[in-house]
Amino acid sequence: MSIGQMISQLAGGMVTSTQIFIVTLVFSLPLGLVVAFGRMSKNPLIQTIIKIYISIMRGTPLMLQLMVVYFGPYYLFHIKCGRGYRMWAVFIGFVINYAAYFAEIYRSGIQSMPAGQYEAARLLGYSRRQTFFMIILPQVIKRILPSITNEVITLVKDTSLAFTISVMEMFSMAKALASSQTSMVPFVAAGIFYYVFNLLVASVMEYMEKKLSYYQ
């Protein structure tokens, strides 16, 4: 197999990895904010449920969570899922896992804001919703962006865990090619793909930090 054919196959796996990455970010970032609200809720029942959820998501391997999401419907409820569910299981597993991490990042940012800002906004006639979304949240995003960046970079590499339930993302493709060709070239190419992907992500996040630099 030529280098061009090998790279072409790896690029196909990269498309799958990119899909996992994008879907996870699009859904886990807003879900994480909702979970953070639950974590800070004054209702002890809601707070306890959310704390247990976060503890489980952060305390068990993502690989195990993917297997539970994929095999759980059949083992627990004897529901047979088609092959198309495999990718959905990956999306669900990644989203609920990363939402827990993002929730704690949001919570730390929100709780670090001075109480005086809420009081000043109330005196100016802002509602609680307006205060949060117009004054607090933009500053929180600025503060937590470095932590979010670390999680996003980790997510790029974690997409390789989709192989757990036989989703052929880039790492799985590289492993299969390396085995069939008895060559390290697919691994090197995959490493370059991941590095470039993370370099792009880091550049975008750095640009966002600069755009939000007026919140000093």
Side-chain angles (χ1 to χ4, degrees):
M1 180 183 291
S2 68
I3 299 294
Q5 291 175 319
M6 195 175 293
I7 291 176
S8 176
Q9 291 194 35
L10 284 174
M14 187 62 182
V15 170
T16 303
S17 295
T18 304
Q19 287 178 333
I20 297 169
F21 173 80
I22 292 173
V23 170
T24 302
L25 277 191
V26 167
F27 289 97
S28 64
L29 283 170
L31 179 59
L33 184 58
V34 174
V35 173
F37 287 146
R39 177 69 175 79
M40 296 182 293
S41 173
K42 293 180 180 179
N43 184 314
L45 178 60
I46 294 175
Q47 190 180 102
T48 300
I49 292 172
I50 295 299
K51 285 173 72 174
I52 292 171
Y53 156 69
I54 291 175
S55 177
I56 292 172
M57 290 298 106
R58 298 202 307 173
T60 58
L62 175 55
M63 185 182 297
L64 176 61
Q65 293 165 24
L66 290 172
M67 295 178 73
V68 169
V69 172
Y70 183 63
F71 295 110
Y74 181 73
Y75 290 163
L76 296 175
F77 309 108
H78 301 289
I79 299 173
K80 292 184 179 180
C81 301
R83 292 183 61 84
Y85 177 66
R86 199 183 300 272
M87 196 66 178
W88 282 104
V90 170
F91 292 153
I92 293 168
F94 270 83
V95 168
I96 62 175
N97 177 274
Y98 271 84
Y101 286 92
F102 288 140
E104 288 297 270
I105 293 173
Y106 281 127
R107 183 174 69 87
S108 66
I110 293 169
Q111 292 182 336
S112 70
M113 298 302 298
Q117 295 209 24
Y118 294 93
E119 295 169 1
R122 187 168 62 251
L123 290 174
L124 291 171
Y126 284 88
S127 66
R128 289 176 63 86
R129 183 184 297 273
Q130 289 174 324
T131 299
F132 182 77
F133 287 102
M134 297 174 65
I135 299 173
I136 302 300
L137 187 58
Q139 296 179 76
V140 168
I141 291 173
K142 165 63 180 175
R143 292 189 178 197
I144 67 175
L145 212 49
S147 298
I148 292 288
T149 300
N150 286 337
E151 288 300 323
V152 172
I153 288 174
T154 300
L155 172 58
V156 173
K157 295 177 285 187
D158 276 355
T159 56
S160 62
L161 293 176
F163 84 91
T164 305
I165 53 176
S166 302
V167 170
M168 292 297 289
E169 41 62 59
M170 190 175 60
F171 178 73
S172 300
M173 195 70 72
K175 190 166 61 172
L177 286 170
S179 178
S180 63
Q181 301 296 313
T182 60
S183 170
M184 284 294 292
V185 173
F187 288 133
V188 173
I192 293 171
F193 268 120
Y194 280 120
Y195 178 75
V196 171
F197 198 162
N198 272 325
L199 197 61
L200 289 172
V201 168
S203 298
V204 170
M205 300 303 279
E206 184 178 355
Y207 172 77
M208 290 176 64
E209 284 191 53
K210 288 179 180 178
K211 292 294 286 185
L212 291 171
S213 61
Y214 55 84
Y215 289 110
Q216 296 287 358

